[in-house]
Amino acid sequence: MNILRSFWNSPTGLKTTHFWGPTFNWSLPLAAAMDTKKPPETISINMTAVMCVYSALFMRFAWVVRPRNPHLLICHVSNETVQLYQLSRWLRAQRNPEVKKEEDGAE
């Protein structure tokens, strides 16, 4: 019970935006992970680049802010990873258009 009470009253506990902000922010990397099943032609390069910059900036913020927010940091590290993967998929599709034809033929 003391552990729950200490988490409830902590500076990053359930009563703060330091908890709820990152919790709802997890929708970004989860949506990006779901998009990895879609064809690379549907990837918006502008939005993916913006999401990469956004997550990089907020990784720094999560590390520097007091109290330090590891929940937010992990969320943005995950989002950065998935967004960079999406960016690499888009770049491969742009460089190798014949790969798309081969993938279509494999289905």
Side-chain angles (χ1 to χ4, degrees):
M1 193 64 166
N2 285 337
I3 294 172
L4 183 58
R5 186 174 303 137
S6 65
F7 178 65
W8 181 263
N9 294 319
S10 78
T12 58
L14 291 171
K15 297 190 294 185
T16 68
T17 58
H18 288 281
F19 176 81
W20 291 108
T23 299
F24 287 110
N25 211 8
W26 273 103
S27 63
L28 298 173
L30 292 175
M34 303 258 311
D35 285 347
T36 60
K37 303 290 184 200
K38 295 181 180 177
E41 296 78 28
T42 62
I43 297 171
S44 167
I45 187 64
N46 293 334
M47 190 62 182
T48 303
V50 166
M51 292 303 292
C52 286
V53 171
Y54 163 77
S55 282
L57 290 172
F58 273 88
M59 279 190 284
R60 168 102 170 106
F61 171 79
W63 187 254
V64 174
V65 70
R66 296 289 179 239
R68 189 166 281 161
N69 196 338
H71 186 190
L72 184 63
L73 179 65
I74 292 168
C75 176
H76 283 293
V77 167
S78 300
N79 190 42
E80 184 76 16
T81 303
V82 178
Q83 296 297 338
L84 288 172
Y85 174 68
Q86 290 288 71
L87 188 62
S88 73
R89 288 181 62 224
W90 184 84
L91 288 170
R92 277 192 306 250
Q94 296 303 310
R95 276 190 283 165
N96 302 324
E98 66 274 358
V99 171
K100 180 193 177 290
K101 292 175 186 169
E102 291 173 9
E103 288 175 355
D104 289 341
E107 291 181 24

